[in-house]
């Protein structure tokens, strides 16, 4: 399908929502390396533990390389922090000078990733320079956001147990993905609340990413309407093998991992 006449979308790591900014370019994740490797999927459930890592990605848009990305997960004392930074340096992304930085500080309660603080910063030449910060107040079960967002999205958001930010939902999919699993999460981020439903495939499939082949489990969002997110999870890899964002039936964004390693 041709996308030559499609308007450019900007990068974002937010899971797709019907009320997201018009035709946003959402960032997605994919492992990319240089040697042939096949990783087998285990019959047992994946562990719930977190593994610190630093990952570097190439960002692709409509089949063309558009920039680079870095994702990091590391402990902060008794808490954790997950960060994603994307820099557009080719094509329309390079012209816009697009930069996106997101982070979430969280703790772990049982097996639940509980967000504590969240921020998103977008910079793009003269077009926009926006920063949004949020605090999840679990003592009072309310979250609030400040910064460059609408008045409505600054209103307090009542919290429920299990609520997560966009970045934490991706970590949770990695933790929970097993064959035939039906996964449900409540997205609370940037003053918005959405329900996200994912369905895991019955069995893994062979996924070719660069020079590496993985036996990976496909996990697809089932309630995104025209916005589709597909995540491939391989055992032994701390980040998704691939995450593909599709909009209106067309591929939008692929982030492909160049390399990853354990964080110091």
């Amino acid at each position: 399908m041709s996308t030559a006449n499609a308007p450019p979308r900007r990068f974002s790591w937010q899971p797709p929502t019907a009320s997201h900014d018009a035709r946003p370019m959402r960032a997605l994740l994919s492992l990319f390396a240089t040697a042939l490797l096949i990783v087998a999927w285990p019959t047992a459930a994946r562990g719930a533990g977190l593994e610190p890592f630093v990952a570097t990605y190439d960002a692709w848009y409509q089949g063309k390389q558009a920039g680079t990305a870095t994702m990091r997960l590391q402990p902060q004392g008794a808490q954790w922090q997950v960060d994603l930074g994307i820099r557009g340096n080719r094509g329309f992304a390079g012209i816009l000078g697009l930069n996106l930085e997101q982070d979430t500080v969280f703790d772990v309660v049982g097996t639940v990733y509980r967000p504590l603080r969240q921020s998103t910063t977008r910079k793009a030449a003269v077009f926009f320079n926006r920063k949004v910060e949020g605090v999840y107040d679990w003592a009072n079960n309310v979250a609030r956001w400040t910064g460059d967002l609408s008045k409505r999205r600054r209103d307090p958001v009542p919290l429920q147990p299990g609520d997560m930010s966009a970045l934490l939902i991706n970590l949770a999919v990695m933790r929970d993905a097993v064959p035939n699993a039906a996964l449900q999460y409540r997205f609370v981020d940037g003053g918005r609340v959405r329900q996200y439903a994912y369905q895991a495939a019955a069995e893994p499939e062979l996924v070719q990413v660069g020079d590496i082949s993985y036996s990976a489990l496909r996990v697809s969002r089932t309630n995104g309407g025209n916005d589709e997110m597909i995540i491939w999870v391989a055992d032994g890899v701390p980040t998704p093998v691939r995450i593909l964002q599709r909009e209106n039936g067309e591929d939008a964004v692929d982030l492909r991992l160049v390399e990853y390693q354990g964080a110091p």
Side-chain angles (χ1 to χ4, degrees):
M1 289 174 289
S2 174
T3 56
N5 296 321
R9 305 177 177 96
R10 57 181 177 78
F11 285 112
S12 170
W13 184 249
Q14 305 287 3
T17 72
S19 64
H20 204 18
D21 298 338
R23 289 185 293 272
M25 184 174 181
R26 301 172 179 87
L28 311 172
L29 200 57
S30 172
L31 284 175
F32 191 36
T34 57
L36 181 62
L37 175 67
I38 297 180
V39 183
W41 184 263
T43 56
R46 297 171 56 84
L50 294 170
E51 300 177 19
F53 67 86
V54 179
T56 304
Y57 307 91
D58 284 334
W60 294 71
Y61 173 60
Q62 294 184 346
K64 297 180 180 180
Q65 190 172 357
T68 60
T70 300
M71 187 174 186
R72 180 190 303 266
L73 174 66
Q74 59 186 346
Q76 299 284 351
Q79 302 171 354
W80 289 80
Q81 181 166 329
V82 57
D83 304 272
L84 175 70
I86 302 175
R87 179 182 297 273
N89 55 21
R90 300 190 183 187
F92 83 88
I95 294 173
L96 292 179
L98 180 64
N99 292 273
L100 167 69
E101 297 177 359
Q102 277 189 304
D103 66 75
T104 298
V105 175
F106 65 102
D107 60 10
V108 181
V109 180
T111 59
V112 175
Y113 302 154
R114 188 175 66 169
L116 303 175
R117 299 185 302 278
Q118 184 272 337
S119 70
T120 300
T121 302
R122 289 189 176 96
K123 300 177 182 179
V126 298
F127 293 90
F128 55 79
N129 185 347
R130 301 188 300 174
K131 183 171 185 178
V132 175
E133 296 180 319
V135 175
Y136 299 80
D137 180 359
W138 291 100
N140 296 296
N141 291 319
V142 66
R144 291 181 173 87
W145 277 264
T146 59
D148 299 312
L149 73 172
S150 68
K151 182 178 179 181
R152 177 180 59 83
R153 286 172 56 184
R154 295 176 189 169
D155 291 340
V157 176
L159 289 173
Q160 298 179 9
D163 288 349
M164 288 185 287
S165 69
L167 290 175
L168 293 188
I169 287 177
N170 288 282
L171 293 180
V173 169
M174 291 294 301
R175 176 196 64 198
D176 299 336
V178 293
N180 288 318
L183 308 176
Q184 298 280 342
Y185 307 104
R186 203 171 89 120
F187 162 87
V188 180
D189 200 329
R192 293 171 298 174
V193 178
R194 296 289 184 271
Q195 294 289 341
Y196 289 93
Y198 295 85
Q199 179 64 51
E203 59 185 22
E205 60 189 71
L206 193 63
V207 178
Q208 184 76 30
V209 184
D211 294 328
I212 292 187
S213 293
Y214 292 93
S215 178
L217 191 67
R218 176 194 292 247
V219 184
S220 303
R221 188 179 170 210
T222 59
N223 66 341
N226 291 330
D227 295 318
E228 183 180 8
M229 177 181 285
I230 307 172
I231 303 172
W232 285 267
V233 180
D235 184 56
V237 182
T239 58
V241 170
R242 184 184 182 192
I243 301 180
L244 173 64
Q245 179 67 46
R246 308 188 78 231
E247 297 179 353
N248 297 317
E250 298 179 348
D251 290 358
V253 183
D254 243 322
L255 296 192
R256 305 175 183 181
L257 183 64
V258 176
E259 62 179 358
Y260 72 90
Q261 60 185 3

